[in-house]
Amino acid sequence: MTSQGFRFIHASDFRLELPVDGLLELPDRFAEAILDAPRRAVERLFDAALKEKVDFVVLSGDLLSPRQTGPWGMLFLIEQFARLESERIPIFWATGQNDSPDVIPSAFRFPENVHIFPVGHVEECFFNRDGASLARLLGVSWGKAGVTPRGSIEPIEGADDLYTIGVYNGRLPSEALKSDSIRYWALGGSRRRETISRSPSLAVYAGSTLARNFTEQGDFGATLVEVGESGRTTTSLIRTSPLRWSVETLLVREDQTEEELLNEVRARFKAIQEKEREDAAFAGRTLDETIRLVSWRVDAEGDALSALRYGATTQTIIRDLRADFAKTPPIVLAIDFEPNLPERMPEEMYERQTILGDYLRMIRYYWDNPAEKIDVEAFMPEEMRAWATRERLKREVALRRSDDADPTELAELTAKLQALEAREFPAEASILYELTSLDPSLTLNAQGDEIVSSAQKSEKEAQRREALLEASALGVDLLAENDSPAALLAGATTKGLSKKNRIVASELRDLQKNLDGKELGS
């Protein structure tokens, strides 16, 4: 039991080498703030350590990858450590594999206040104040080649009355959580802030200091831990992420005017902006410290879906929101306004004995049979088809060699493979093939190797699903109007056709003109 109280900050997963992602387009005036967000989040952490006058800081790994950040990452980290050294605040750091002592160049020297736990075995150290030990820390670091910690993280005899902190990066063995000898587990290696145990010990993943995309909503930062004289432990969040992400949902009625839609969205943004003001006042931070990024996911009724997908309404809304809510703090920035595609069209469309009905029934067949192959290779450019053929031949030749196949057949396959290997393919060929193919059984990665990861296969299935949704919606847009499909294909006059089908008809006539040298209609 401790006789004096103390306070410390527990943080992890700076991941300085990882940029913000998930933004395809951004106003130029925000580019610097977005690019600088990883560094700014860490600065805010050390600002908080100084402001709160904590006794020490515990870091549980994955701060950076020195090779990926280059010199600036290490120099920046050393600069932040030095800020605490000037105030005599020690730092206890158990690394993960990304920031292992094995990968930190020897040319970089950390300030004297930094203690890095050793690789592979548990070490005990103490936090002292006025010559007395107040807390004991047990920690271990990972090696660059995945050298795993050896031995259990258990208190060492001789200081049973001290508050003990375990510092670890990764998934903690379940038996460790059952022991009451460690009062607080400072864990790292997870981007999410989470308390995984409260009794007999408190075990906390600090999470990342920065939210980097729309999947990381909520509060990101570090944990302020306060230990009272009786040993009672309380924790609170220190927000450090300069970016906050949210996804808003909206239903657009078929009879809703553009002005009504714009007013509804503006009212929602005003509420978001007011909430940002309240949060800033509660946390004691200035309004210009955080950017709120908002993505809209819109369900639209009837023809409203086509209007949002192809009309100017979407861009008008984005432009209006940015003009009114993204110029003065608190900044609320609209990123996109994306209509959701319906998973099923109205049932009566599938029953029609028309081109559209045939088309939708085909789409539904592939939707209901996810393992069914969709062969689109014939529609690919020749070099992509040749690249895919080469990859298949590689596997077939390797398989036949292992099966002692007929030498003549093997020689023929090998000759074909050598001819293709002599060709030069663009570096992006494999990526383009991946994006174009809708076959979930395709298991090629960017190097042409087989994929065994279930996550990668799930991603491929999700791509197929999204492509089928898009194909279904596009087909309905082109064929479900009053416009006659025959009129489009036969090249009838474009007068009277809907705007988007006039464009399609024009493109069809241009294509036919190139094929046979004459126009089809006036």
Side-chain angles (χ1 to χ4, degrees), residues 30 41 52 70 73 186 194 251 285 288 312 335 354 358 379 392 413 432 435 439 451 466:
F30 293 104
E52 297 289 342
E194 182 182 12
L251 173 64
R285 54 180 168 82
D288 60 351
I335 298 301
T354 61
D358 290 341
F379 303 99
R392 282 194 293 271
L413 290 174
L432 291 174
L435 293 175
D439 180 10
I451 294 173
E466 184 176 352

Side-chain angles (χ1 to χ4, degrees), residues 84-372:
L84 300 193
E85 183 186 36
S86 65
E87 297 297 323
R88 298 182 179 180
I89 299 175
I91 297 169
F92 302 96
W93 178 7
T95 73
Q97 294 185 51
N98 292 297
D99 53 353
S100 166
D102 296 342
V103 300
I104 297 176
S106 59
F108 295 98
R109 302 290 182 180
F110 292 115
E112 294 297 324
N113 64 324
V114 178
H115 177 84
I116 301 179
F117 289 102
V119 171
H121 66 274
V122 177
E123 182 185 63
E124 178 187 53
C125 57
F126 297 88
F127 165 69
N128 301 311
R129 183 200 293 157
D130 300 328
S133 294
L134 300 185
R136 172 176 47 195
L137 296 99
L138 302 173
V140 59
S141 293
W142 287 78
K144 66 178 180 180
V147 175
T148 57
R150 296 189 303 274
S152 61
I153 302 182
E154 294 290 344
I156 298 173
E157 295 181 2
D160 293 336
D161 59 332
L162 288 182
Y163 188 97
T164 302
I165 302 167
V167 191
Y168 186 74
N169 180 279
R171 184 176 179 180
L172 195 66
S174 57
E175 58 271 15
L177 294 174
K178 298 176 183 178
S179 171
D180 60 359
S181 54
I182 293 181
R183 300 293 302 278
Y184 182 91
W185 282 104
L187 304 175
S190 172
R191 296 192 53 76
R192 296 286 178 181
R193 184 172 184 266
E194 182 182 12
T195 299
I196 63 170
S197 174
R198 296 186 181 276
S199 178
S201 59
L202 185 61
V204 177
Y205 281 100
S208 177
T209 50
L210 174 66
R212 284 178 166 82
N213 53 55
F214 281 108
T215 67
E216 299 182 340
Q217 300 177 41
D219 293 316
F220 282 70
T223 300
L224 175 63
V225 184
E226 301 187 59
V227 180
E229 293 182 0
S230 64
R232 183 174 181 270
T233 306
T234 59
T235 63
S236 57
L237 169 69
I238 297 176
R239 295 182 177 91
T240 61
S241 180
L243 306 178
R244 298 183 71 185
W245 308 74
S246 62
V247 176
E248 299 291 321
T249 59
L250 184 68
L251 173 64
V252 179
R253 303 185 310 276
E254 191 169 10
D255 61 348
Q256 197 167 10
T257 67
E258 182 175 316
E259 182 178 0
E260 290 172 338
L261 176 58
L262 186 57
N263 288 338
E264 182 177 350
V265 173
R266 285 173 56 82
R268 295 271 292 274
F269 254 52
K270 286 180 181 178
I272 294 171
Q273 198 171 55
E274 184 57 37
K275 182 64 166 56
E276 287 296 320
R277 288 194 181 95
E278 293 175 359
D279 289 349
F282 180 79
R285 54 180 168 82
T286 61
L287 292 177
D288 60 351
E289 288 183 346
T290 303
I291 299 174
R292 177 76 167 265
L293 301 112
V294 180
S295 175
W296 289 89
R297 292 296 175 263
V298 183
D299 289 315
E301 297 178 343
D303 291 341
L305 176 63
S306 296
L308 290 174
R309 278 164 59 84
Y310 304 109
T313 302
T314 295
Q315 291 305 314
T316 299
I317 291 173
I318 294 295
R319 186 168 56 250
D320 185 90
L321 293 176
R322 289 180 177 180
D324 290 348
F325 299 96
K327 288 188 175 179
T328 57
I331 299 296
V332 182
L333 179 61
I335 298 301
D336 57 28
F337 196 83
E338 188 73 25
N340 295 321
L341 295 177
E343 293 192 3
R344 285 286 195 273
M345 295 296 169
E347 188 61 32
E348 61 269 18
M349 287 189 174
Y350 294 89
E351 298 174 357
R352 294 177 184 175
Q353 298 304 311
T354 61
I355 293 176
L356 175 61
D358 290 341
Y359 177 79
L360 288 177
R361 285 190 289 274
M362 178 186 67
I363 294 289
R364 183 165 60 181
Y365 172 79
Y366 286 113
W367 180 274
D368 293 337
N369 296 274
E372 190 73 23

